[in-house]
Amino acid sequence: MSDTSFVSGWAGVLEALYNRLEKSERSRSLYWEEELANFSIDTNGVVTGMNSMGTVSRKRSPAHLAAMWILLIPFRLMGWRYRRFGRHMANGYYISRKHGRLLTHDALRQVLVISLIDHYLPIDEQEGCNFIIGDGYGFLTALFLSASPHKKTIACNLSKSLLLDLLQVRQSHPDIGTALATTPSEMRAALADDTVGLIAVPADHAVVAMEAPLGIATNVHSMMEMDLDVIAAYFEILRRNQSQC
């Protein structure tokens, strides 16, 4: 493969990830060996079985929307201390609607995460790419794409989880240019391509993120489910990437 080639476009990236689903992964802990075996994803993105990547409800009737709005009042009150919370909350409701899901406490947690980050490290002012490690249902990735549409976002996850992330993100951001990077040359090519806004990286190839200048990196509690050597590898990426900071 040449230095200027990479798999791109929703169809190509999703197909490439589908083709990886049966392969073993070095970065998959025993916990995830068991969890990933409990659910499957068909070619239409329909998930069957049980998974632990977050609470998702498809019940969006007016009664369900009103009940959840009331239940989340204490958590929304937590967010108003952050100056851009309203902006991210609005994005969260939009993404939930596009994903065909209820905005549950799990989704609101992601809104609070990006709001806290944006309060202390204004996203629009940061150099480099957003780096999302281990998203759940692509919600935090979608929030970063909405908050910083002119910056590249790198989504890194186990192949099956990454596929689910991207299938969800496609519903809210269908027009964004996507690429799959598994080698340093593919990552460099994706970074150089102005049409690519979202770069997908399978966890076994996370080291290719060192080729990127990383501005903001996030992980919301999934490192608790990783082996220690995998966690150490991610921190090495954060220390040795191409950022000037």
Side-chain angles (χ1 to χ4, degrees), residues 160-180:
K160 197 172 189 178
S161 303
L162 183 59
L163 175 60
L164 180 56
D165 290 340
L166 296 188
L167 286 167
Q168 294 296 304
V169 171
R170 182 177 61 170
Q171 296 184 57
S172 55
H173 297 80
D175 298 326
I176 193 166
T178 59
L180 181 69

Side-chain angles (χ1 to χ4, degrees), residues 63-120:
H64 285 97
L65 289 168
M68 188 57 65
W69 190 91
I70 293 170
L71 289 171
L72 294 181
I73 286 175
F75 301 99
R76 289 201 308 278
L77 290 176
M78 292 172 56
W80 288 112
R81 72 187 74 177
Y82 307 126
R83 57 178 173 265
R84 294 185 176 90
F85 174 71
R87 167 193 181 190
H88 299 300
M89 191 77 244
N91 287 340
Y93 277 117
Y94 170 82
I95 292 165
S96 295
R97 186 170 66 254
K98 289 295 185 179
H99 289 190
R101 60 171 289 173
L102 194 64
L103 193 145
T104 61
H105 68 283
D106 201 59
L108 182 52
R109 178 183 61 190
Q110 309 286 45
V111 172
L112 288 170
V113 166
I114 194 171
S115 298
L116 182 149
I117 293 170
D118 203 12
H119 183 82
Y120 293 103

Side-chain angles (χ1 to χ4, degrees), residues 216-230:
I216 294 176
T218 67
N219 176 267
V220 182
H221 83 58
S222 65
M223 282 189 176
M224 297 191 309
E225 303 149 3
M226 298 178 188
D227 292 336
L228 288 177
D229 60 331
V230 175

Side-chain angles (χ1 to χ4, degrees), residues 3 16 29 69 76 107 110 189 238 243:
D3 284 352
S29 65
W69 190 91
R76 289 201 308 278
Q110 309 286 45
L238 299 183
S243 173

Side-chain angles (χ1 to χ4, degrees), residues 191-202:
L191 291 169
D193 191 329
D194 292 337
T195 68
V196 173
L198 174 61
I199 304 172
V201 177

